C-alpha cells in the first residue's frame, strides 16, 4: 500500500473510533464530511435538541451520509436529561425507581424512554448508570444510581437495559468498574476507589455482571483510579481493568466506550490527545468527546494524535483496527435493533408511566402526612446547590412551578449557598417574612451533603416548626420532628409528584 493510501486508511480508522459532539440543531458541514470520511458515531447533547421531531430531522440528515451511523445521547432520565433538558424529565431517575423497587416498572419506564429516543433517531443511550452509590458524599453519582445495595442496583440495571433495548435503542452500562464509592467529581480531578478486590467484587461489579447477562452491548469506562487492579492508571486508560477485568473476567465482548475524554480526571495529566491515545491502547473502542470540546479542531487533533501514535509505534495499528471493527459490528447490530424495536406509543406528560413511577417513589414522614393537604397558597423556598456538570444548568427543577398550577397565589424564591455566605440574601427577608400567615414549603436537594443547606433548613424549621421540607436528593437522616417529603430525585416528574402530594388528601 502506498504511503498516501496508508495515511488515508489510518485516518478512516482514527475517525471511526471517535464519538464527537457538535454545536447546533442542524448538522455542520464538517461533521457530514467526516462521516463521509469514516466517522462512525456522533453524540447529541441538549444544545442539539429543540424537540423530538427536530432531532429526527437532524439524525436523518446525519444518516443520509451513513445509514448505520451510531447516534448516541447521554440520557439517563431523572436529573440527567438531554432530550427533555428544556422542560425537565417527565420520567424519574434511577434512585426513585430503585426506591420503588419494582423491576417491571423500571423496565416500562426505560421502554417508554426508548420509544422517544428511537423516534428521534437515537441508536445508543449512555445509560443506565450501574454504579452502586455506596458513598453518601459522592458528588457525581447520588440519585443517578439505583441505590446503595448491589442487589437492587443489579436488578434494576438489568430491567432498564431490557426495557430500553426492547424499544430499539442500545443501552450502555456505566461507569465501569463502578463510580459509586468516590468523593471526587471526575469532571475536575481523578477520584480513587481504594477498596480491595474482594470488596469490589461484591460491591461494585455485580451490576455490570448483571448488565452483561441482560444483553448489554456497550459499557462505558469510568475515569477513576482503582489501585487494587492498577495503582497507576485510571480505568479508562488501564488495560488491566478494560481487558483483564472487563473482557477476561466478566466475559464482555461488546463495545467499550470511554467517558467524556475531555474530563479533568484524565486530561490534567495527559491532555485530551494523550488521554485519547492511551485509552484506545488500553482497550477503549469508541472515544466519547465533545460535551465541552465540540469543535472541528478537536476531532482533527484527536485524529492526528491517533495516526501519529500508530506511525510512531506508540499505538499498535492492530489495536486501532480492532477497535474500528468493534465499532462497525456495534453499528450493524444497533441498526438492526433500531429497525426491530417496538415503536409502541410514547407516553407523554399527565398520566404517563413516568409520572406514575414518580408518584410511587414519594415517601412521607408521619408529621408531613398529618399536615396535608395544604389549603392555602404557600411560600416556597428552594435551596439550590451547585450541581455537577452531568446535570444541565438549563434543566428546570423544584416544586414551586407545579404547586403554583394547583394553588394559584403560590410565591417562591430560590436561594443559593453563595448568596447566604456573602450576606446578599437573608432567609428572614426572603423566606420567613413572605411566609407570614401562610404555609411554608422548603425544597432542598441533598441536605446531608451541603452544610449551608443543612443550616438553612435547621434555621427555617426552628422559626417555623410547621414548615414542610421536600428533599429532592438523597434522603440523609430524617428528622422525626419535621414534616418531610422525599421524592428521591429532582426530575420534573418528581416535582409534579411532590406538588400532588402537598395538595391532596390521598397522600399515600
Amino acid at each position: 500500500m502506498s504511503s498516501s493510501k496508508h495515511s488515508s486508511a489510518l485516518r478512516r480508522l482514527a475517525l471511526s473510533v471517535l464519538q464527537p459532539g457538535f454545536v447546533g440543531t442542524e448538522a455542520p458541514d464538517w461533521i457530514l464530511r467526516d462521516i463521509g470520511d469514516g466517522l462512525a458515531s456522533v453524540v447529541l447533547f441538549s444544545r442539539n435538541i429543540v424537540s423530538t421531531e427536530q432531532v429526527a430531522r437532524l439524525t436523518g440528515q446525519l444518516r443520509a451520509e451513513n445509514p448505520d451511523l451510531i447516534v448516541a445521547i447521554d440520557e439517563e432520565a431523572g436529573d440527567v436529561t438531554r432530550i427533555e433538558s428544556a422542560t425537565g424529565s417527565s420520567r424519574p431517575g434511577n434512585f426513585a425507581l430503585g426506591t420503588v423497587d419494582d423491576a417491571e416498572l423500571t423496565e416500562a419506564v426505560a421502554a417508554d424512554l426508548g420509544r422517544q429516543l428511537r423516534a428521534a433517531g437515537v441508536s445508543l443511550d449512555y445509560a443506565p448508570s450501574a454504579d452502586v452509590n455506596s458513598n453518601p458524599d459522592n458528588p457525581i453519582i447520588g440519585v443517578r444510581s439505583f441505590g446503595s445495595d448491589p442487589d437492587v442496583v443489579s436488578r434494576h440495571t438489568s430491567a432498564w437495559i431490557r426495557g430500553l433495548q426492547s424499544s430499539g435503542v442500545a443501552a450502555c452500562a456505566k461507569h465501569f468498574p463502578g463510580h459509586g464509592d468516590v468523593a471526587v467529581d471526575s469532571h475536575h480531578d481523578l477520584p480513587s476507589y481504594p477498596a480491595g478486590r474482594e470488596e469490589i467484587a461484591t460491591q461494585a461489579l455485580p451490576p455490570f455482571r448483571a448488565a452483561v447477562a441482560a444483553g448489554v452491548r456497550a459499557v462505558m469506562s469510568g475515569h477513576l483510579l482503582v489501585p487494587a487492579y492498577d495503582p497507576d492508571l485510571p480505568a479508562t486508560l488501564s488495560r488491566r481493568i478494560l481487558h483483564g477485568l472487563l473482557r477476561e473476567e466478566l466475559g464482555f465482548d461488546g463495545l467499550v466506550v470511554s467517558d467524556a475524554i475531555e474530563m479533568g480526571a484524565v486530561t490534567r495529566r495527559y491532555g485530551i490527545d494523550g488521554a485519547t491515545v492511551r485509552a484506545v491502547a488500553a482497550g477503549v473502542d469508541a472515544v466519547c468527546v465533545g460535551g465541552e470540546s465540540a469543535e472541528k479542531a478537536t476531532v482533527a487533533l484527536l485524529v492526528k494524535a491517533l495516526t501519529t501514535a500508530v506511525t510512531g509505534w506508540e499505538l499498535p495499528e492492530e489495536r486501532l483496527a480492532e477497535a474500528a471493527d468493534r465499532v462497525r459490528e456495534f453499528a450493524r447490530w444497533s441498526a438492526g435493533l433500531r429497525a426491530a424495536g417496538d415503536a409502541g406509543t410514547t407516553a407523554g406528560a399527565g398520566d404517563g408511566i413516568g409520572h406514575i413511577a414518580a408518584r410511587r417513589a414519594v415517601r412521607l414522614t408521619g408529621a408531613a402526612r398529618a399536615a396535608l393537604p395544604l389549603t392555602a397558597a404557600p411560600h416556597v423556598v428552594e435551596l439550590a446547590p451547585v450541581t455537577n456538570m452531568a446535570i444541565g444548568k438549563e434543566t428546570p427543577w423544584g416544586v414551586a412551578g407545579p404547586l403554583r398550577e394547583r394553588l394559584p397565589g403560590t410565591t417562591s424564591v430560590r436561594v443559593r449557598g453563595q448568596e447566604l455566605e456573602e450576606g446578599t440574601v437573608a432567609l428572614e427577608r426572603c423566606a420567613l417574612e413572605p411566609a407570614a400567615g401562610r404555609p411554608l414549603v422548603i425544597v432542598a436537594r441533598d441536605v446531608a451533603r451541603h452544610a449551608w443547606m443543612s443550616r438553612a433548613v435547621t434555621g427555617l424549621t426552628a422559626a417555623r416548626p410547621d414548615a414542610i421540607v421536600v428533599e429532592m436528593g438523597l434522603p440523609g437522616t430524617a428528622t422525626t420532628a419535621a414534616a418531610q417529603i422525599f421524592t428521591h430525585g429532582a426530575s420534573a416528574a418528581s416535582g409534579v409528584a411532590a406538588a400532588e402530594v402537598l395538595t391532596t388528601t390521598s397522600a399515600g
Side-chain angles (χ1 to χ4, degrees):
M1 187 185 295
S2 70
S3 61
S4 63
K5 282 187 177 178
H6 184 240
S7 175
S8 176
L10 263 186
R11 183 172 186 274
R12 287 190 74 86
L13 286 179
L15 273 170
S16 71
V17 304
L18 300 180
Q19 294 193 337
F22 57 90
V23 176
T25 55
E26 294 184 1
D29 290 342
W30 68 267
I31 276 281
L32 297 177
R33 281 196 301 272
D34 280 353
I35 294 170
D37 289 346
L39 185 69
S41 317
V42 297
V43 57
L44 303 180
F45 293 93
S46 54
R47 62 182 174 232
N48 306 117
I49 295 166
V50 175
S51 66
T52 301
E53 295 74 22
Q54 168 266 323
V55 178
R57 289 193 298 274
L58 170 60
T59 55
Q61 184 186 13
L62 293 163
R63 286 211 175 92
E65 303 294 326
N66 174 5
D68 285 354
L69 183 76
I70 300 165
V71 178
I73 195 170
D74 186 19
E75 173 60 55
E76 299 177 14
D79 290 25
V80 179
T81 179
R82 310 296 176 222
I83 201 75
E84 296 184 290
S85 66
T87 58
S89 179
S90 57
R91 304 168 186 94
N94 287 0
F95 190 54
L97 295 171
T99 297
V100 177
D101 198 11
D102 178 345
E104 288 184 6
L105 179 69
T106 295
E107 189 169 338
V109 169
D112 183 58
L113 173 62
R115 285 189 288 271
Q116 184 179 8
L117 295 180
R118 180 177 179 271
V122 170
S123 55
L124 168 63
D125 186 8
Y126 295 150
S129 167
D131 306 295
V132 179
N133 196 64
S134 47
N135 185 344
D137 289 329
N138 192 323
I140 185 65
I141 302 300
V143 296
R144 300 167 65 193
S145 166
F146 289 111
S148 57
D149 182 330
D151 290 340
V152 171
V153 177
S154 297
R155 187 158 57 245
H156 291 277
T157 294
S158 299
W160 215 94
I161 290 165
R162 287 194 304 270
L164 189 76
Q165 296 193 163
S166 73
S167 295
V169 176
C172 178
K174 64 185 185 186
H175 307 79
F176 188 81
H179 215 305
D181 192 10
V182 302
V184 171
D185 184 345
S186 51
H187 287 95
H188 306 298
D189 212 337
L190 180 63
S192 180
Y193 178 24
R197 290 195 180 195
E198 189 174 324
E199 183 181 335
I200 292 169
T202 57
Q203 185 71 23
L205 294 182
F208 291 98
R209 293 187 186 277
V212 173
V216 81
R217 296 287 291 269
V219 168
M220 178 177 281
S221 64
H223 299 329
L224 70 159
L225 200 65
V226 189
Y229 286 92
D230 193 326
D232 303 313
L233 295 168
T236 298
L237 312 182
S238 171
R239 183 167 174 80
R240 296 181 195 175
I241 291 173
L242 298 185
H243 186 78
L245 180 57
L246 179 56
R247 294 219 182 274
E248 293 185 345
E249 190 175 323
L250 268 64
F252 178 68
D253 62 358
L255 188 75
V256 176
V257 184
S258 78
D259 203 350
I261 204 69
E262 64 262 52
M263 288 165 63
V266 290
T267 58
R268 281 169 69 110
R269 183 168 177 185
Y270 301 104
I272 191 170
D273 48 352
T276 295
V277 170
R278 285 168 172 79
V280 174
V284 164
D285 304 307
V287 177
C288 171
V289 63
E292 299 161 70
S293 304
E295 308 83 22
K296 174 184 176 182
T298 300
V299 174
L301 172 69
L302 299 189
V303 167
K304 183 179 180 183
L306 289 166
T307 55
T308 302
V310 170
T311 56
W313 306 101
E314 186 184 349
L315 172 65
E317 187 170 346
E318 297 76 17
R319 167 79 274 268
L320 184 60
E322 177 190 45
D325 284 343
R326 279 220 183 84
V327 171
R328 276 194 295 273
E329 181 185 345
F330 182 88
R332 285 194 296 270
W333 172 78
S334 62
L337 185 72
R338 190 160 46 90
D342 172 22
T345 54
T346 302
D351 288 322
I353 189 67
H355 285 83
I356 291 168
R359 284 196 291 269
R360 287 184 60 187
V362 176
R363 301 288 183 268
L364 291 75
T365 61
R369 208 177 297 276
L372 298 176
L374 297 178
T375 54
H379 182 57
V380 182
V381 181
E382 294 177 336
L383 303 173
V386 175
T387 54
N388 65 64
M389 289 176 67
I391 299 170
K393 287 183 169 52
E394 74 283 355
T395 304
W397 67 278
V399 178
L403 257 183
R404 198 171 288 116
E405 293 175 10
R406 288 156 179 78
L407 290 173
T410 295
T411 56
S412 65
V413 63
R414 185 161 286 187
V415 179
R416 292 166 179 80
Q418 187 177 354
E419 295 168 328
L420 293 179
E421 287 164 7
E422 291 172 350
T424 54
V425 166
L427 291 176
E428 180 71 32
R429 289 197 305 274
C430 74
L432 296 175
E433 290 175 8
R438 305 165 56 193
L440 174 62
V441 176
I442 305 162
V443 182
R445 206 167 170 180
D446 290 329
V447 166
R449 285 194 53 243
H450 301 285
W452 72 267
M453 198 181 295
S454 178
R455 289 192 297 271
V457 170
T458 300
L460 289 171
T461 53
R464 284 289 301 267
D466 62 330
I468 297 173
V469 179
V470 181
E471 170 60 83
M472 302 192 81
L474 295 176
T477 305
T479 306
T480 52
Q484 290 181 286
I485 296 172
F486 303 98
T487 62
H488 305 97
S491 70
S494 297
V496 168
E500 288 175 350
V501 166
L502 286 161
T503 55
T504 62
T505 50
S506 56

